[in-house]
Amino acid sequence: ATLCKLCPIGTYCPEGTAIFKACPPGTHQPTNGGTSIAACLKCPTGTYQSMAGASWCGPCPDGYSCIDGITPIPLSIWG
C-alpha cells in the first residue's frame, strides 16, 4: 500500500512527488498540503519573512519599510 503524507506548513510538494520544498523568503504557507509554489503566499503589505519555510509573516518594525516582504529597511536611509 502507498502511504500518502501532506507536505507540512511552510513547504510545498510539486505534484507527483513527496519531496518537500521550502517556500522562499518573503512568502509563507500556513496550511498543510501545498502542491506548488503557488501555495506560498506573498507576505501582506506591512509584514515580512526573512526565512524560507515559514508558516507566517511578522509585522514590520516601527521605523522600517518592508517593501520587499523579506528585509526590514530603516526609513532613515531615505532621508
Side-chain angles (χ1 to χ4, degrees):
T2 302
L3 189 60
C4 294
K5 283 182 147 180
L6 291 176
C7 288
I9 59 175
T11 69
Y12 67 96
C13 297
E15 277 197 66
T17 73
I19 299 168
F20 303 165
K21 292 193 174 209
C23 289
T27 69
H28 68 292
Q29 211 299 57
T31 60
N32 292 322
T35 58
S36 74
I37 196 164
C40 303
L41 307 173
K42 187 176 187 304
C43 289
T45 301
T47 68
Y48 77 103
Q49 181 49 259
S50 57
M51 297 176 60
S55 62
W56 57 275
C57 296
C60 194
D62 287 342
Y64 287 78
S65 171
C66 294
I67 197 156
D68 68 357
I70 301 170
T71 308
I73 301 167
L75 294 174
S76 61
I77 69 165
W78 289 317

